[in-house]
Every structure is written in structure tokens, then in C-alpha cells.
Amino acid sequence: EPVKIVIPYNGKVNREERIAVYRLNNGQTESMGGIYDAESRTVTFLTESTGQFYVQEENKTFKDLKDCAWAQDVIETMAGKGLIVGKSEEQFSPQDNITRAEFAALITRMLRSTDQEEKALHFIDVAEQKWYKNSVEKAYGHELMKRKGENIFDPEGKITRQEIAAVISNVLQQQGYLQGDSASLDNFTDKGQIADWAKANVALAAQNGIIAGNRDGSFAPQQKATRAEAAVMLYRLYKLVLQ
């Protein structure tokens, strides 16, 4: 399992959230993410491998975030830490819906999830040559995401906001967080539309500040999540995991 490492960093800091850790790996650099703490001047990150690590400030930008100002800083921060990638070097496509396979890749990359062969289920709709095969098996093996049916994962299906809440809840519970208070759902005007199986998950995510309502006070549980929404929710979760 990955371990949490804290290392000192006394270099110059322009933007705290853009500080990231890298690992030297056979002459190549690998992004490790990380959260910088200004008070202790340290960076905390997750790693499943030993090695040599270094810290630097990394700034990444995309050209298509002007109409997504509410999420721009988080998206660029996550990209700079190597936790998310764009559709290309210059395009992030923030309003595109995110698939279950893409979300599996994001959550397992962020948590530095290791292979779980003994728990892996070989899904009939996840072909051997698909780029997301390993991520899907990790997400299922670590009990972060569930299947959609017998040997079915539905990798190309668009993930909903309540499904993301379920993944977040699974991570929080594995981190020792207790079940959420159902009173947290009272903040959403459409709490009645949240599926029964998802209510406890949404409550736990909302209670810990990872999920917030829309401007109209709704949660829109069955709405397909966008890449921007996924990035923001995952960054909030990431900071909580590393605190």
C-alpha cells in the first residue's frame, strides 16, 4: 500500500498550491502530487515506491478555461501536480462529461493505488488492450468503485454526481471517517431525488466539505458530472486525505 511521506521544502514559494513533488526514476521524472504546508514548510505526498524525490513549483495552464473561472485554479493546480491531464496539452475540455473509466484513472492515480490482482475482476466490457484496464481493476480491487452488473463495469458510461459521491465516501471510510449525518442532505433542495443507496455517501461527502450544492441549492444527483466538477471534488478529497 502507498505510504504518506512528509519532506521539508525551504525553497522560494510564489503560489503554495502549485508546489509539487517529483520522483527520479531511471533518469525520468514522475509527478507525485503533494500538498504544501506553509507553517511547517513541508510537503506531504503519497508514494508506493522508494527513491529520490525533489520539490518544485509547477504551473500548468489550458486555453479553454476562460468560461470555467470557478474551477480554473483547481484544474491547473491538479494538472501541475500530475493528478489530472487535459484532452491535449492546451485543451482540458472542462464541460465534457467524464466517463467511469476516466474517473477510475483519476482516483487511482491520485491515491497512488497499487495492483490488486487477488481482488481484480476481469470485466467482459474492459478489453485487454484498453488504456484504462489497469485503472479499472485497481479501482474495483481497492473497493473504490463497484461494478454495474455481473462482470460489467460500463467503462464508457458517464459517471453521475451521486456515483462520484459514492467513490468519495469509500475513500473517506477507508481513511477512518465515520458514516455521514443524514442532516447534511437538508442543504440540498432536491435531496428527495438522491437514490436510497447513495444518501449515506452523499451525506458523508457533503459533511466533510467535498461536495457542495449548485447555485440554486440543488445537488443534481443523477446529473452526469463534468471534468471540471470531478477535478474540484477530487482536489478537496486529496487535501483531506493528506492533511
PDB file of all heavy atoms in Angstrom, residues 18 60-80 84-96 226-229 231-232:
ATOM      1  N   ARG A  18       0.712  25.383  -5.905  1.00  0.00           N
ATOM      2  CA  ARG A  18       1.380  24.858  -7.094  1.00  0.00           C
ATOM      3  C   ARG A  18       2.656  24.078  -6.767  1.00  0.00           C
ATOM      4  O   ARG A  18       3.337  23.595  -7.666  1.00  0.00           O
ATOM      5  CB  ARG A  18       1.715  26.011  -8.054  1.00  0.00           C
ATOM      6  CG  ARG A  18       0.482  26.795  -8.532  1.00  0.00           C
ATOM      7  CD  ARG A  18      -0.483  25.916  -9.297  1.00  0.00           C
ATOM      8  NE  ARG A  18      -1.731  26.586  -9.630  1.00  0.00           N
ATOM      9  CZ  ARG A  18      -1.969  27.184 -10.789  1.00  0.00           C
ATOM     10  NH1 ARG A  18      -1.034  27.207 -11.731  1.00  0.00           N
ATOM     11  NH2 ARG A  18      -3.125  27.761 -11.031  1.00  0.00           N
ATOM     12  N   LYS A  60       0.789  24.991 -14.678  1.00  0.00           N
ATOM     13  CA  LYS A  60       0.216  24.426 -15.893  1.00  0.00           C
ATOM     14  C   LYS A  60      -1.031  25.213 -16.255  1.00  0.00           C
ATOM     15  O   LYS A  60      -1.846  25.536 -15.378  1.00  0.00           O
ATOM     16  CB  LYS A  60      -0.140  22.954 -15.656  1.00  0.00           C
ATOM     17  CG  LYS A  60      -0.896  22.279 -16.787  1.00  0.00           C
ATOM     18  CD  LYS A  60      -0.038  22.121 -18.024  1.00  0.00           C
ATOM     19  CE  LYS A  60      -0.803  21.411 -19.126  1.00  0.00           C
ATOM     20  NZ  LYS A  60      -0.027  21.305 -20.375  1.00  0.00           N
ATOM     21  N   THR A  61      -1.195  25.537 -17.529  1.00  0.00           N
ATOM     22  CA  THR A  61      -2.366  26.279 -17.971  1.00  0.00           C
ATOM     23  C   THR A  61      -3.005  25.599 -19.174  1.00  0.00           C
ATOM     24  O   THR A  61      -2.346  24.848 -19.897  1.00  0.00           O
ATOM     25  CB  THR A  61      -2.008  27.729 -18.352  1.00  0.00           C
ATOM     26  OG1 THR A  61      -1.050  27.713 -19.428  1.00  0.00           O
ATOM     27  CG2 THR A  61      -1.414  28.477 -17.172  1.00  0.00           C
ATOM     28  N   PHE A  62      -4.295  25.867 -19.360  1.00  0.00           N
ATOM     29  CA  PHE A  62      -5.037  25.402 -20.526  1.00  0.00           C
ATOM     30  C   PHE A  62      -5.726  26.606 -21.157  1.00  0.00           C
ATOM     31  O   PHE A  62      -6.077  27.560 -20.465  1.00  0.00           O
ATOM     32  CB  PHE A  62      -6.081  24.359 -20.132  1.00  0.00           C
ATOM     33  CG  PHE A  62      -5.498  23.085 -19.573  1.00  0.00           C
ATOM     34  CD1 PHE A  62      -5.464  22.860 -18.205  1.00  0.00           C
ATOM     35  CD2 PHE A  62      -4.993  22.105 -20.412  1.00  0.00           C
ATOM     36  CE1 PHE A  62      -4.926  21.692 -17.678  1.00  0.00           C
ATOM     37  CE2 PHE A  62      -4.456  20.924 -19.900  1.00  0.00           C
ATOM     38  CZ  PHE A  62      -4.425  20.721 -18.536  1.00  0.00           C
ATOM     39  N   LYS A  63      -5.947  26.546 -22.446  1.00  0.00           N
ATOM     40  CA  LYS A  63      -6.519  27.682 -23.170  1.00  0.00           C
ATOM     41  C   LYS A  63      -8.039  27.738 -23.133  1.00  0.00           C
ATOM     42  O   LYS A  63      -8.627  28.738 -23.557  1.00  0.00           O
ATOM     43  CB  LYS A  63      -6.040  27.659 -24.624  1.00  0.00           C
ATOM     44  CG  LYS A  63      -4.562  27.962 -24.792  1.00  0.00           C
ATOM     45  CD  LYS A  63      -4.184  28.036 -26.258  1.00  0.00           C
ATOM     46  CE  LYS A  63      -2.721  28.442 -26.423  1.00  0.00           C
ATOM     47  NZ  LYS A  63      -2.336  28.531 -27.858  1.00  0.00           N
ATOM     48  N   ASP A  64      -8.677  26.689 -22.658  1.00  0.00           N
ATOM     49  CA  ASP A  64     -10.135  26.639 -22.736  1.00  0.00           C
ATOM     50  C   ASP A  64     -10.823  26.733 -21.375  1.00  0.00           C
ATOM     51  O   ASP A  64     -11.909  26.188 -21.173  1.00  0.00           O
ATOM     52  CB  ASP A  64     -10.590  25.365 -23.455  1.00  0.00           C
ATOM     53  CG  ASP A  64     -10.126  24.090 -22.752  1.00  0.00           C
ATOM     54  OD1 ASP A  64      -9.264  24.191 -21.860  1.00  0.00           O
ATOM     55  OD2 ASP A  64     -10.628  23.010 -23.105  1.00  0.00           O
ATOM     56  N   LEU A  65     -10.201  27.433 -20.432  1.00  0.00           N
ATOM     57  CA  LEU A  65     -10.774  27.534 -19.095  1.00  0.00           C
ATOM     58  C   LEU A  65     -11.366  28.907 -18.784  1.00  0.00           C
ATOM     59  O   LEU A  65     -11.813  29.149 -17.664  1.00  0.00           O
ATOM     60  CB  LEU A  65      -9.711  27.196 -18.041  1.00  0.00           C
ATOM     61  CG  LEU A  65      -9.132  25.782 -18.086  1.00  0.00           C
ATOM     62  CD1 LEU A  65      -8.095  25.613 -16.981  1.00  0.00           C
ATOM     63  CD2 LEU A  65     -10.220  24.726 -17.963  1.00  0.00           C
ATOM     64  N   LYS A  66     -11.397  29.790 -19.783  1.00  0.00           N
ATOM     65  CA  LYS A  66     -11.886  31.146 -19.537  1.00  0.00           C
ATOM     66  C   LYS A  66     -13.345  31.166 -19.102  1.00  0.00           C
ATOM     67  O   LYS A  66     -13.761  32.027 -18.324  1.00  0.00           O
ATOM     68  CB  LYS A  66     -11.697  31.991 -20.797  1.00  0.00           C
ATOM     69  CG  LYS A  66     -10.241  32.250 -21.144  1.00  0.00           C
ATOM     70  CD  LYS A  66     -10.112  33.109 -22.382  1.00  0.00           C
ATOM     71  CE  LYS A  66      -8.646  33.365 -22.721  1.00  0.00           C
ATOM     72  NZ  LYS A  66      -8.487  34.190 -23.953  1.00  0.00           N
ATOM     73  N   ASP A  67     -14.133  30.240 -19.618  1.00  0.00           N
ATOM     74  CA  ASP A  67     -15.551  30.191 -19.259  1.00  0.00           C
ATOM     75  C   ASP A  67     -15.806  29.253 -18.078  1.00  0.00           C
ATOM     76  O   ASP A  67     -16.952  28.917 -17.781  1.00  0.00           O
ATOM     77  CB  ASP A  67     -16.389  29.737 -20.459  1.00  0.00           C
ATOM     78  CG  ASP A  67     -16.326  30.742 -21.606  1.00  0.00           C
ATOM     79  OD1 ASP A  67     -16.218  31.949 -21.319  1.00  0.00           O
ATOM     80  OD2 ASP A  67     -16.385  30.317 -22.772  1.00  0.00           O
ATOM     81  N   CYS A  68     -14.744  28.853 -17.427  1.00  0.00           N
ATOM     82  CA  CYS A  68     -14.855  27.949 -16.279  1.00  0.00           C
ATOM     83  C   CYS A  68     -14.012  28.506 -15.129  1.00  0.00           C
ATOM     84  O   CYS A  68     -13.236  27.783 -14.504  1.00  0.00           O
ATOM     85  CB  CYS A  68     -14.380  26.555 -16.688  1.00  0.00           C
ATOM     86  SG  CYS A  68     -14.773  25.264 -15.511  1.00  0.00           S
ATOM     87  N   ALA A  69     -14.205  29.808 -14.869  1.00  0.00           N
ATOM     88  CA  ALA A  69     -13.367  30.501 -13.893  1.00  0.00           C
ATOM     89  C   ALA A  69     -13.468  29.892 -12.498  1.00  0.00           C
ATOM     90  O   ALA A  69     -12.490  29.889 -11.745  1.00  0.00           O
ATOM     91  CB  ALA A  69     -13.732  31.979 -13.848  1.00  0.00           C
ATOM     92  N   TRP A  70     -14.635  29.368 -12.140  1.00  0.00           N
ATOM     93  CA  TRP A  70     -14.844  28.835 -10.794  1.00  0.00           C
ATOM     94  C   TRP A  70     -13.955  27.628 -10.512  1.00  0.00           C
ATOM     95  O   TRP A  70     -13.648  27.336  -9.350  1.00  0.00           O
ATOM     96  CB  TRP A  70     -16.310  28.458 -10.589  1.00  0.00           C
ATOM     97  CG  TRP A  70     -16.763  27.325 -11.461  1.00  0.00           C
ATOM     98  CD1 TRP A  70     -17.219  27.409 -12.737  1.00  0.00           C
ATOM     99  CD2 TRP A  70     -16.761  25.932 -11.131  1.00  0.00           C
ATOM    100  NE1 TRP A  70     -17.525  26.164 -13.230  1.00  0.00           N
ATOM    101  CE2 TRP A  70     -17.259  25.233 -12.269  1.00  0.00           C
ATOM    102  CE3 TRP A  70     -16.414  25.197  -9.999  1.00  0.00           C
ATOM    103  CZ2 TRP A  70     -17.398  23.848 -12.293  1.00  0.00           C
ATOM    104  CZ3 TRP A  70     -16.553  23.820 -10.018  1.00  0.00           C
ATOM    105  CH2 TRP A  70     -17.048  23.159 -11.149  1.00  0.00           C
ATOM    106  N   ALA A  71     -13.527  26.932 -11.569  1.00  0.00           N
ATOM    107  CA  ALA A  71     -12.725  25.719 -11.386  1.00  0.00           C
ATOM    108  C   ALA A  71     -11.319  25.851 -11.963  1.00  0.00           C
ATOM    109  O   ALA A  71     -10.515  24.926 -11.815  1.00  0.00           O
ATOM    110  CB  ALA A  71     -13.419  24.529 -12.039  1.00  0.00           C
ATOM    111  N   GLN A  72     -11.014  26.974 -12.594  1.00  0.00           N
ATOM    112  CA  GLN A  72      -9.744  27.113 -13.315  1.00  0.00           C
ATOM    113  C   GLN A  72      -8.524  26.880 -12.433  1.00  0.00           C
ATOM    114  O   GLN A  72      -7.616  26.116 -12.801  1.00  0.00           O
ATOM    115  CB  GLN A  72      -9.645  28.499 -13.963  1.00  0.00           C
ATOM    116  CG  GLN A  72      -8.343  28.694 -14.741  1.00  0.00           C
ATOM    117  CD  GLN A  72      -8.301  30.017 -15.494  1.00  0.00           C
ATOM    118  OE1 GLN A  72      -9.278  30.780 -15.491  1.00  0.00           O
ATOM    119  NE2 GLN A  72      -7.183  30.299 -16.132  1.00  0.00           N
ATOM    120  N   ASP A  73      -8.486  27.505 -11.280  1.00  0.00           N
ATOM    121  CA  ASP A  73      -7.308  27.385 -10.425  1.00  0.00           C
ATOM    122  C   ASP A  73      -7.097  25.945  -9.969  1.00  0.00           C
ATOM    123  O   ASP A  73      -5.965  25.442  -9.960  1.00  0.00           O
ATOM    124  CB  ASP A  73      -7.436  28.310  -9.216  1.00  0.00           C
ATOM    125  CG  ASP A  73      -6.146  28.378  -8.410  1.00  0.00           C
ATOM    126  OD1 ASP A  73      -5.096  28.697  -8.997  1.00  0.00           O
ATOM    127  OD2 ASP A  73      -6.173  28.091  -7.196  1.00  0.00           O
ATOM    128  N   VAL A  74      -8.183  25.271  -9.604  1.00  0.00           N
ATOM    129  CA  VAL A  74      -8.070  23.880  -9.156  1.00  0.00           C
ATOM    130  C   VAL A  74      -7.616  22.972 -10.294  1.00  0.00           C
ATOM    131  O   VAL A  74      -6.755  22.109 -10.107  1.00  0.00           O
ATOM    132  CB  VAL A  74      -9.416  23.380  -8.581  1.00  0.00           C
ATOM    133  CG1 VAL A  74      -9.398  21.865  -8.412  1.00  0.00           C
ATOM    134  CG2 VAL A  74      -9.695  24.046  -7.247  1.00  0.00           C
ATOM    135  N   ILE A  75      -8.194  23.160 -11.467  1.00  0.00           N
ATOM    136  CA  ILE A  75      -7.815  22.340 -12.623  1.00  0.00           C
ATOM    137  C   ILE A  75      -6.335  22.499 -12.927  1.00  0.00           C
ATOM    138  O   ILE A  75      -5.611  21.509 -13.127  1.00  0.00           O
ATOM    139  CB  ILE A  75      -8.661  22.698 -13.855  1.00  0.00           C
ATOM    140  CG1 ILE A  75     -10.116  22.253 -13.645  1.00  0.00           C
ATOM    141  CG2 ILE A  75      -8.092  22.055 -15.118  1.00  0.00           C
ATOM    142  CD1 ILE A  75     -11.069  22.762 -14.705  1.00  0.00           C
ATOM    143  N   GLU A  76      -5.863  23.729 -12.961  1.00  0.00           N
ATOM    144  CA  GLU A  76      -4.450  23.976 -13.265  1.00  0.00           C
ATOM    145  C   GLU A  76      -3.544  23.448 -12.152  1.00  0.00           C
ATOM    146  O   GLU A  76      -2.446  22.946 -12.431  1.00  0.00           O
ATOM    147  CB  GLU A  76      -4.237  25.472 -13.493  1.00  0.00           C
ATOM    148  CG  GLU A  76      -4.922  25.966 -14.760  1.00  0.00           C
ATOM    149  CD  GLU A  76      -4.801  27.460 -14.970  1.00  0.00           C
ATOM    150  OE1 GLU A  76      -4.418  28.177 -14.019  1.00  0.00           O
ATOM    151  OE2 GLU A  76      -5.083  27.920 -16.087  1.00  0.00           O
ATOM    152  N   THR A  77      -4.005  23.541 -10.912  1.00  0.00           N
ATOM    153  CA  THR A  77      -3.237  23.007  -9.793  1.00  0.00           C
ATOM    154  C   THR A  77      -3.120  21.491  -9.885  1.00  0.00           C
ATOM    155  O   THR A  77      -2.029  20.923  -9.735  1.00  0.00           O
ATOM    156  CB  THR A  77      -3.887  23.399  -8.453  1.00  0.00           C
ATOM    157  OG1 THR A  77      -3.830  24.817  -8.293  1.00  0.00           O
ATOM    158  CG2 THR A  77      -3.174  22.731  -7.280  1.00  0.00           C
ATOM    159  N   MET A  78      -4.234  20.825 -10.126  1.00  0.00           N
ATOM    160  CA  MET A  78      -4.231  19.364 -10.241  1.00  0.00           C
ATOM    161  C   MET A  78      -3.383  18.909 -11.417  1.00  0.00           C
ATOM    162  O   MET A  78      -2.665  17.905 -11.331  1.00  0.00           O
ATOM    163  CB  MET A  78      -5.664  18.857 -10.404  1.00  0.00           C
ATOM    164  CG  MET A  78      -6.522  18.994  -9.167  1.00  0.00           C
ATOM    165  SD  MET A  78      -6.213  17.676  -7.964  1.00  0.00           S
ATOM    166  CE  MET A  78      -7.234  16.359  -8.644  1.00  0.00           C
ATOM    167  N   ALA A  79      -3.450  19.645 -12.526  1.00  0.00           N
ATOM    168  CA  ALA A  79      -2.653  19.286 -13.698  1.00  0.00           C
ATOM    169  C   ALA A  79      -1.170  19.481 -13.420  1.00  0.00           C
ATOM    170  O   ALA A  79      -0.333  18.669 -13.819  1.00  0.00           O
ATOM    171  CB  ALA A  79      -3.086  20.121 -14.901  1.00  0.00           C
ATOM    172  N   GLY A  80      -0.822  20.560 -12.722  1.00  0.00           N
ATOM    173  CA  GLY A  80       0.570  20.813 -12.380  1.00  0.00           C
ATOM    174  C   GLY A  80       1.149  19.753 -11.465  1.00  0.00           C
ATOM    175  O   GLY A  80       2.341  19.455 -11.519  1.00  0.00           O
ATOM    176  N   ILE A  84      -4.191  15.110 -12.858  1.00  0.00           N
ATOM    177  CA  ILE A  84      -5.124  15.056 -13.969  1.00  0.00           C
ATOM    178  C   ILE A  84      -4.389  15.493 -15.229  1.00  0.00           C
ATOM    179  O   ILE A  84      -3.334  16.140 -15.156  1.00  0.00           O
ATOM    180  CB  ILE A  84      -6.367  15.956 -13.763  1.00  0.00           C
ATOM    181  CG1 ILE A  84      -5.943  17.436 -13.590  1.00  0.00           C
ATOM    182  CG2 ILE A  84      -7.199  15.491 -12.587  1.00  0.00           C
ATOM    183  CD1 ILE A  84      -7.114  18.382 -13.525  1.00  0.00           C
ATOM    184  N   VAL A  85      -4.944  15.158 -16.367  1.00  0.00           N
ATOM    185  CA  VAL A  85      -4.365  15.565 -17.648  1.00  0.00           C
ATOM    186  C   VAL A  85      -5.468  16.137 -18.520  1.00  0.00           C
ATOM    187  O   VAL A  85      -6.652  15.836 -18.329  1.00  0.00           O
ATOM    188  CB  VAL A  85      -3.682  14.386 -18.373  1.00  0.00           C
ATOM    189  CG1 VAL A  85      -2.478  13.895 -17.593  1.00  0.00           C
ATOM    190  CG2 VAL A  85      -4.664  13.247 -18.596  1.00  0.00           C
ATOM    191  N   GLY A  86      -5.100  16.952 -19.483  1.00  0.00           N
ATOM    192  CA  GLY A  86      -6.067  17.510 -20.404  1.00  0.00           C
ATOM    193  C   GLY A  86      -6.346  16.558 -21.556  1.00  0.00           C
ATOM    194  O   GLY A  86      -5.715  15.507 -21.689  1.00  0.00           O
ATOM    195  N   LYS A  87      -7.288  16.960 -22.407  1.00  0.00           N
ATOM    196  CA  LYS A  87      -7.552  16.186 -23.612  1.00  0.00           C
ATOM    197  C   LYS A  87      -6.397  16.352 -24.597  1.00  0.00           C
ATOM    198  O   LYS A  87      -6.181  15.530 -25.472  1.00  0.00           O
ATOM    199  CB  LYS A  87      -8.859  16.660 -24.258  1.00  0.00           C
ATOM    200  CG  LYS A  87     -10.122  16.263 -23.457  1.00  0.00           C
ATOM    201  CD  LYS A  87     -10.356  14.773 -23.512  1.00  0.00           C
ATOM    202  CE  LYS A  87     -11.665  14.355 -22.839  1.00  0.00           C
ATOM    203  NZ  LYS A  87     -12.869  14.670 -23.624  1.00  0.00           N
ATOM    204  N   SER A  88      -5.661  17.457 -24.422  1.00  0.00           N
ATOM    205  CA  SER A  88      -4.425  17.707 -25.160  1.00  0.00           C
ATOM    206  C   SER A  88      -3.581  18.617 -24.283  1.00  0.00           C
ATOM    207  O   SER A  88      -3.976  18.963 -23.167  1.00  0.00           O
ATOM    208  CB  SER A  88      -4.711  18.373 -26.513  1.00  0.00           C
ATOM    209  OG  SER A  88      -5.168  19.704 -26.329  1.00  0.00           O
ATOM    210  N   GLU A  89      -2.424  19.029 -24.763  1.00  0.00           N
ATOM    211  CA  GLU A  89      -1.555  19.900 -23.968  1.00  0.00           C
ATOM    212  C   GLU A  89      -2.207  21.253 -23.681  1.00  0.00           C
ATOM    213  O   GLU A  89      -1.950  21.867 -22.658  1.00  0.00           O
ATOM    214  CB  GLU A  89      -0.228  20.118 -24.691  1.00  0.00           C
ATOM    215  CG  GLU A  89       0.758  18.988 -24.522  1.00  0.00           C
ATOM    216  CD  GLU A  89       1.160  18.781 -23.066  1.00  0.00           C
ATOM    217  OE1 GLU A  89       1.488  19.778 -22.396  1.00  0.00           O
ATOM    218  OE2 GLU A  89       1.147  17.632 -22.592  1.00  0.00           O
ATOM    219  N   GLU A  90      -3.082  21.726 -24.574  1.00  0.00           N
ATOM    220  CA  GLU A  90      -3.664  23.052 -24.432  1.00  0.00           C
ATOM    221  C   GLU A  90      -5.148  23.038 -24.116  1.00  0.00           C
ATOM    222  O   GLU A  90      -5.720  24.062 -23.754  1.00  0.00           O
ATOM    223  CB  GLU A  90      -3.427  23.866 -25.713  1.00  0.00           C
ATOM    224  CG  GLU A  90      -1.954  24.108 -26.015  1.00  0.00           C
ATOM    225  CD  GLU A  90      -1.748  24.954 -27.253  1.00  0.00           C
ATOM    226  OE1 GLU A  90      -2.698  25.045 -28.069  1.00  0.00           O
ATOM    227  OE2 GLU A  90      -0.661  25.527 -27.401  1.00  0.00           O
ATOM    228  N   GLN A  91      -5.799  21.881 -24.249  1.00  0.00           N
ATOM    229  CA  GLN A  91      -7.241  21.800 -24.053  1.00  0.00           C
ATOM    230  C   GLN A  91      -7.580  20.841 -22.913  1.00  0.00           C
ATOM    231  O   GLN A  91      -7.151  19.688 -22.916  1.00  0.00           O
ATOM    232  CB  GLN A  91      -7.928  21.317 -25.339  1.00  0.00           C
ATOM    233  CG  GLN A  91      -7.640  22.172 -26.562  1.00  0.00           C
ATOM    234  CD  GLN A  91      -8.233  23.565 -26.464  1.00  0.00           C
ATOM    235  OE1 GLN A  91      -9.373  23.724 -26.029  1.00  0.00           O
ATOM    236  NE2 GLN A  91      -7.482  24.571 -26.856  1.00  0.00           N
ATOM    237  N   PHE A  92      -8.376  21.335 -21.964  1.00  0.00           N
ATOM    238  CA  PHE A  92      -8.820  20.477 -20.872  1.00  0.00           C
ATOM    239  C   PHE A  92     -10.244  19.965 -21.088  1.00  0.00           C
ATOM    240  O   PHE A  92     -10.618  18.917 -20.585  1.00  0.00           O
ATOM    241  CB  PHE A  92      -8.759  21.221 -19.536  1.00  0.00           C
ATOM    242  CG  PHE A  92      -9.135  20.356 -18.367  1.00  0.00           C
ATOM    243  CD1 PHE A  92      -8.250  19.403 -17.880  1.00  0.00           C
ATOM    244  CD2 PHE A  92     -10.384  20.464 -17.759  1.00  0.00           C
ATOM    245  CE1 PHE A  92      -8.597  18.571 -16.822  1.00  0.00           C
ATOM    246  CE2 PHE A  92     -10.739  19.640 -16.700  1.00  0.00           C
ATOM    247  CZ  PHE A  92      -9.845  18.695 -16.230  1.00  0.00           C
ATOM    248  N   SER A  93     -11.049  20.716 -21.843  1.00  0.00           N
ATOM    249  CA  SER A  93     -12.456  20.353 -22.094  1.00  0.00           C
ATOM    250  C   SER A  93     -13.222  20.218 -20.784  1.00  0.00           C
ATOM    251  O   SER A  93     -13.758  19.146 -20.459  1.00  0.00           O
ATOM    252  CB  SER A  93     -12.544  19.055 -22.896  1.00  0.00           C
ATOM    253  OG  SER A  93     -11.839  19.165 -24.111  1.00  0.00           O
ATOM    254  N   PRO A  94     -13.321  21.302 -20.004  1.00  0.00           N
ATOM    255  CA  PRO A  94     -13.911  21.231 -18.655  1.00  0.00           C
ATOM    256  C   PRO A  94     -15.388  20.852 -18.631  1.00  0.00           C
ATOM    257  O   PRO A  94     -15.858  20.270 -17.655  1.00  0.00           O
ATOM    258  CB  PRO A  94     -13.696  22.640 -18.104  1.00  0.00           C
ATOM    259  CG  PRO A  94     -13.614  23.509 -19.323  1.00  0.00           C
ATOM    260  CD  PRO A  94     -12.900  22.675 -20.333  1.00  0.00           C
ATOM    261  N   GLN A  95     -16.133  21.168 -19.692  1.00  0.00           N
ATOM    262  CA  GLN A  95     -17.562  20.897 -19.691  1.00  0.00           C
ATOM    263  C   GLN A  95     -17.918  19.517 -20.229  1.00  0.00           C
ATOM    264  O   GLN A  95     -19.082  19.117 -20.189  1.00  0.00           O
ATOM    265  CB  GLN A  95     -18.295  21.982 -20.504  1.00  0.00           C
ATOM    266  CG  GLN A  95     -18.116  23.392 -19.966  1.00  0.00           C
ATOM    267  CD  GLN A  95     -18.527  23.528 -18.507  1.00  0.00           C
ATOM    268  OE1 GLN A  95     -19.413  22.825 -18.018  1.00  0.00           O
ATOM    269  NE2 GLN A  95     -17.881  24.433 -17.789  1.00  0.00           N
ATOM    270  N   ASP A  96     -16.947  18.783 -20.718  1.00  0.00           N
ATOM    271  CA  ASP A  96     -17.214  17.427 -21.185  1.00  0.00           C
ATOM    272  C   ASP A  96     -17.572  16.537 -20.002  1.00  0.00           C
ATOM    273  O   ASP A  96     -17.014  16.682 -18.908  1.00  0.00           O
ATOM    274  CB  ASP A  96     -15.992  16.841 -21.898  1.00  0.00           C
ATOM    275  CG  ASP A  96     -15.798  17.419 -23.286  1.00  0.00           C
ATOM    276  OD1 ASP A  96     -16.583  18.304 -23.690  1.00  0.00           O
ATOM    277  OD2 ASP A  96     -14.838  16.996 -23.964  1.00  0.00           O
ATOM    278  N   THR A 226     -19.213  16.717 -14.932  1.00  0.00           N
ATOM    279  CA  THR A 226     -18.265  17.243 -15.912  1.00  0.00           C
ATOM    280  C   THR A 226     -16.836  17.024 -15.424  1.00  0.00           C
ATOM    281  O   THR A 226     -16.596  16.751 -14.240  1.00  0.00           O
ATOM    282  CB  THR A 226     -18.479  18.741 -16.144  1.00  0.00           C
ATOM    283  OG1 THR A 226     -18.180  19.457 -14.929  1.00  0.00           O
ATOM    284  CG2 THR A 226     -19.911  19.037 -16.551  1.00  0.00           C
ATOM    285  N   ARG A 227     -15.900  17.178 -16.332  1.00  0.00           N
ATOM    286  CA  ARG A 227     -14.487  17.041 -15.976  1.00  0.00           C
ATOM    287  C   ARG A 227     -14.088  18.107 -14.949  1.00  0.00           C
ATOM    288  O   ARG A 227     -13.283  17.851 -14.056  1.00  0.00           O
ATOM    289  CB  ARG A 227     -13.625  17.142 -17.237  1.00  0.00           C
ATOM    290  CG  ARG A 227     -13.687  15.898 -18.103  1.00  0.00           C
ATOM    291  CD  ARG A 227     -13.090  16.115 -19.482  1.00  0.00           C
ATOM    292  NE  ARG A 227     -11.745  16.648 -19.474  1.00  0.00           N
ATOM    293  CZ  ARG A 227     -10.642  15.922 -19.273  1.00  0.00           C
ATOM    294  NH1 ARG A 227     -10.744  14.616 -19.082  1.00  0.00           N
ATOM    295  NH2 ARG A 227      -9.449  16.484 -19.304  1.00  0.00           N
ATOM    296  N   ALA A 228     -14.665  19.299 -15.060  1.00  0.00           N
ATOM    297  CA  ALA A 228     -14.359  20.365 -14.102  1.00  0.00           C
ATOM    298  C   ALA A 228     -14.874  20.012 -12.718  1.00  0.00           C
ATOM    299  O   ALA A 228     -14.175  20.185 -11.715  1.00  0.00           O
ATOM    300  CB  ALA A 228     -14.974  21.679 -14.576  1.00  0.00           C
ATOM    301  N   GLU A 229     -16.117  19.517 -12.646  1.00  0.00           N
ATOM    302  CA  GLU A 229     -16.689  19.140 -11.355  1.00  0.00           C
ATOM    303  C   GLU A 229     -15.873  18.029 -10.696  1.00  0.00           C
ATOM    304  O   GLU A 229     -15.615  18.070  -9.488  1.00  0.00           O
ATOM    305  CB  GLU A 229     -18.133  18.680 -11.548  1.00  0.00           C
ATOM    306  CG  GLU A 229     -19.100  19.795 -11.913  1.00  0.00           C
ATOM    307  CD  GLU A 229     -20.484  19.284 -12.263  1.00  0.00           C
ATOM    308  OE1 GLU A 229     -20.594  18.136 -12.735  1.00  0.00           O
ATOM    309  OE2 GLU A 229     -21.450  20.043 -12.071  1.00  0.00           O
ATOM    310  N   ALA A 231     -12.709  17.359 -11.110  1.00  0.00           N
ATOM    311  CA  ALA A 231     -11.420  17.884 -10.666  1.00  0.00           C
ATOM    312  C   ALA A 231     -11.544  18.596  -9.322  1.00  0.00           C
ATOM    313  O   ALA A 231     -10.718  18.411  -8.423  1.00  0.00           O
ATOM    314  CB  ALA A 231     -10.848  18.832 -11.713  1.00  0.00           C
ATOM    315  N   VAL A 232     -12.591  19.403  -9.170  1.00  0.00           N
ATOM    316  CA  VAL A 232     -12.780  20.160  -7.930  1.00  0.00           C
ATOM    317  C   VAL A 232     -13.063  19.229  -6.754  1.00  0.00           C
ATOM    318  O   VAL A 232     -12.486  19.373  -5.672  1.00  0.00           O
ATOM    319  CB  VAL A 232     -13.924  21.183  -8.100  1.00  0.00           C
ATOM    320  CG1 VAL A 232     -14.294  21.804  -6.751  1.00  0.00           C
ATOM    321  CG2 VAL A 232     -13.508  22.281  -9.081  1.00  0.00           C
TER     322      VAL A 232
END
